[in-house]
Each structure stands twice: as C-alpha cells, then as structure tokens.
Amino acid sequence: MEHIALYRAWRPQSFHDMVGQQHIIQTLQNAIREQRVSHAYLFSGPRGTGKTTAAKVLAKAVNCERGAGPEPCNECPSCLRITAGNVMDVQEIDAASNRGVEEIRDLRDKVKYAPTEVRRKVYIIDEVHMLTTEAFNALLKTLEEPPPHVMFILATTEPHKLPATIISRCQRFDFRRVSLEEQTGLLTEICEKEGIAADADALQYIARLSDGGMRDALSILDQISSFTDGHVTYQQVLGMTGGIPSEQFARLATAILEGDMGLLLELVEQLMHEGKSADKCLENLLYYFRDLLMIKMVPGADHLTDRVLNPADFRDMAAAFSRDRLFTIVETLTRYLSEMKYATHPQTLFEVALMKLCSLQQEEATVQEAAPNFAATASSHSGGQPQTADSGELELLRRQITALEKKLEQALQSGAVSGGGRDQGAAKKQATAQSQAPRVSSHSKLPPQLDKFIAGKDSADFADVYKQWSLVLQGVKEEKVTVHAWFVDGEPVSVMEDAVLVAFKNTIHRDTTEKPANRQVIENVFAARLGKPYRLVTMMQRDWNEAAVKSVAQTGTEELRLEHEHEAADAQTEPWIDEAIQLFGEDLVVIKE
C-alpha cells in the first residue's frame, strides 16, 4: 500500500481531533448549534496550526446530511466526498496562483448560482494576502453581501497585508502556536498507533523544532522514523535536523565566561565541520542566553521557555553570570544576528561576535582588578585608612575636608599676623592678585592661543556660529547619537579663524568628545552645517569664565555677568575643591550642597 505522509494521514477530520485551538473550536461549534453561522470568516495564524483543516471541517459540519451540528459525522456521502475533495460546491482556491482580478471576477460570477450537491457553497481561499489590490476590490462587494447559500473562508499567515475593508467584513479568528505539551502529547499518541518507538526527549525536541506548527512536527517525525531502525533517539534527531545540543552551548558559554578565545574558535570550527549553519548557531546561542537571563531574573521561570530540558544545569550556568553581563551578551548577539543576513561570510561574523563577548568579559575583569588598586591609592593619600563601604568613604572625606579647612585657616592667620603693616599690605596685594588669577586644577588643560579666543568671543563669526548651534547639535545626533550625548554638555564660547572653542561643564564629557573618532564626527558636521571647515577646540567652562574675568580686569573694563546660585557657591569653595582634587583625584571628589 502506498505510504501517506503522517501529516496527511493524521489531519483532523473533526473539531474534536484538533489540538491547541479550543477558543476557536468552541466558538464555531456554538455558532453551528445555534444556527448563527456567518457568511465570511478570516482564519489567520502561523503555518501548520490548522487554518485550512478547520475550514474543511467547518464546510463538512454545515453540509452534513445528518443535519448541521457541532461535529460532522464523517460517514454520510457529503462528508466523505468533501474530505476527498470531490464536491464542486466546496472549492479550495490557492490565492498565490489565482491572485489576479480575472480569477476573482470568474468566482464572483459563479457565486450567484445555487449549489447542486450540498446545502451551501463554501469557498476556501488559502493565502488570501497574495491577492492583488484589484482582486480585493473585485471581491469586496460579494464578500460583504453574498447570496444566502454561499460561505467564504479566508486563510492567511500575514493578516496585516489584508485591506481593512476585507477584514471588517469577516469574523476573524487568530490561530495560536500549539504548545509544547500539546504537541508532545499528540506525537506520543501517533507514535503508539503507528508503531514507532521514540524517546520522550526526542519527541520534545521535535516539538521545539516545529516552532508551534503541528504539521512541521509530523513532517520531522515522519522523516526521522524513516531514517532510524524503528527507535527514534535524541541524538538521531540532532543528527538528522542539524540541531545543536544544549551541552555545546554550555561549553560556548563557559568559554565566554572564562574569556578563552582559543577554545571558542575551536568549538566554532567543530560546529562548522558538523555542517551546522552559522546563522542558526548564533540564533540558538541567543536563545540560550535569553533562557539564562529569564531563569536568573524570574523565579520559577522554567515554564517561560520551551527550550529548557534540564533546569538545574541552566540555573548553575545562570548563577555564574551577572545580570548586567547577560543583558550585554543578549544585546550584542541580537545586533550581530541582525547583521548576519547581509554578511558575505557568516562564519567570520559568528566568530567575531563570540570574540567580542570574550573581549567584553576581559575588559570587565580588568576594571574589577583596577578598582581595588585605585581604592588603595586613594586610601594611601588619606593616611592609609582602607575604604570598605560607601558610608565609611563619605565620613572619611568629611573629616579630611574639615582638616583641610582648619589648615587653610591657620595658614591664612599666620600669614596675616607674621608681618608688619607693610608686609600685611603686600600680603593683601598678593592675595588680591591670586584671587584675580585664573585657578586651574591639575586636571585642566588650556587651549593654545587662549587670548585670541577671548578677543574673538564677541565677533560676528561667533554670533553666526551661535545662531546655528542647534543645527550643529541636530547634525551630530543624526550622525551618531552617542557622540551627541557627550557633546550636548558643551557650549560654544568663541570662534577664531578656523576653530570653534567649546566649553564643557564636566571633565568626562570633554575627554570623550576629544577622542579622535568623535572629534572627526563633530568636525564633519561643522563643515556641513556651518558652511566652512572648523576645528574643534575644547576647554572647561570654569577655566573659560576665569580667563574672561581676568581679561576684563586687565583691560580696566567691567563685564556684567549673571551667575547661577550654584556657580557662586562653587566660586566660594573653590580653593578647598582644588586642594581636594589634587589630593584625591577628580574621580573621588563629589561636590554636594
């Protein structure tokens, strides 16, 4: 006897045989029982979930000779002939090959004639999203008001491609992916009735490969059963389908955790020799780390993924990674997976992605090693006292600042008392000169030709640049949003010939902007938006203000300047701030009001 594919032999012939779509089955059965069947239905959902099968069962149920009921009898001539596809009044039309307006006009002309073999004409239009716009327009009026003896059932995997006017004239049912448990149960039942011996983990893996499509699962089972000698095992399924066991992903994850690039490349080469696809390997590795993240973040999250066969192994691996590390890995793999479809050499991109994960791990380890050394250096400046907690660090800094204030006060008093009147006058003049001179911390750097920038701060060129600064910021944001995030902290203060001076409030923003790649982006935007190539010159806002004040004092003119309240406070406490920066470094000093 000729072999029939499993998905055809086990296609459901009644609503009771269908799995995973109980919400749709119950609605259709109630409509048939209460004689409230609609004239048009739209079945949408992933492939292999039973859309066309449900349409045929519905056609049999409304045309059963034993009377319309919630289930077709599958015994009367009408049911048997509809199952065999021998009834002309029940037509299944493939819209992918009959998508033109002429085919739909022909259908529209035939709809008006009464059925000759059964009670109702049923037109099942599969892949209806493939119809052209003209064909949809030709179908529209007939679909809205067909003759009473006609029923339309539209099936599609892409309902978003259908016009809203078509969808609004149908009762829409969304078929969902069949769950892993329901698929595994049906596969087990079919294996028992077909005489196929299969391991439970093998059937579970077949169900996972089908991605919720029952037809795909039965096709894979049919293929595997033909390959094996009557017993389907997990390893045989992996070998036939090109799948990758979770143990190999665990080895990849371990190599990433340890930063072992050599082992990673060996594992990739092994996967490629086994005939695995680089893009599928990257996709499955992304799913693996996604599952690790879910198990780490959500207690009892085993049910949130269909890929976890051994939750204990996943928990141990998830515990070895930090949350931030897993987030970074998932984001990196997602970016490389999106680039994989355009890659000429997918294997190379896969290797680069894994090496990128290793380099991130090594950078993180370097930072963690450098942190204790930096803390030890800071503690040596503070008298060798270790800083063990945030509260302890804060208290230590408070005591040190208090001691510095006392020393400064004593120094000022001793300097004022030690000399006579003439010395006091000289000391006052010296203090006045020092207060007028710009105070620059050891971490600041002034640009060359600062005096020329100060002279050009009120020039017409600077006024033009200042007016177009919003366009410059927008251009930088369009070129590279990360550079814009740092550059927006700066403010233009002067223009000199071919250079724009930008003053920053924060040191790290200035240093990041000064990087060659970021500087190149900004200078390209200068040339595009300002109509002239300008160089980028930077300095700190505080240093610029002091230099400008000094220039005004030397020229004998006064400049009216509004200061924010916090800037005035900074000016009053700046000697102690500079002293604290010199002792502890700018990264450890936090100024709070």
Side-chain angles (χ1 to χ4, degrees), residues 317-330:
M317 185 61 70
F321 287 89
S322 65
R323 288 188 304 174
D324 294 339
R325 179 77 181 133
L326 288 174
F327 276 120
T328 304
I329 290 175
V330 171

Side-chain angles (χ1 to χ4, degrees), residues 252-268:
L252 285 172
T254 303
I256 292 172
L257 183 64
E258 297 173 354
D260 191 344
M261 290 191 184
L263 178 59
L264 268 180
L265 295 179
E266 289 180 9
L267 293 173
V268 171

Side-chain angles (χ1 to χ4, degrees), residues 366-378:
T366 303
V367 171
Q368 291 175 353
E369 291 176 1
N373 297 332
F374 187 77
T377 303

Side-chain angles (χ1 to χ4, degrees), residues 154-218:
L154 314 181
T156 178
T157 55
E158 302 181 42
H160 57 278
K161 293 186 177 180
L162 269 65
T165 50
I166 294 290
I167 297 176
S168 65
R169 286 161 171 78
C170 304
Q171 283 192 14
R172 177 173 173 174
F173 293 92
D174 291 322
F175 286 68
R176 63 177 180 85
R177 301 181 190 275
V178 184
S179 67
L180 184 67
E181 292 78 10
E182 291 173 323
Q183 281 188 302
T184 306
L186 183 57
L187 289 175
T188 303
E189 179 184 350
I190 292 174
C191 286
E192 292 175 355
K193 294 183 179 180
E194 291 286 336
I196 301 173
D199 295 340
D201 54 353
L203 295 180
Q204 191 177 30
Y205 188 75
I206 290 174
R208 286 192 285 133
L209 287 178
S210 67
D211 196 23
M214 201 65 232
R215 183 177 61 220
D216 292 353
L218 289 174

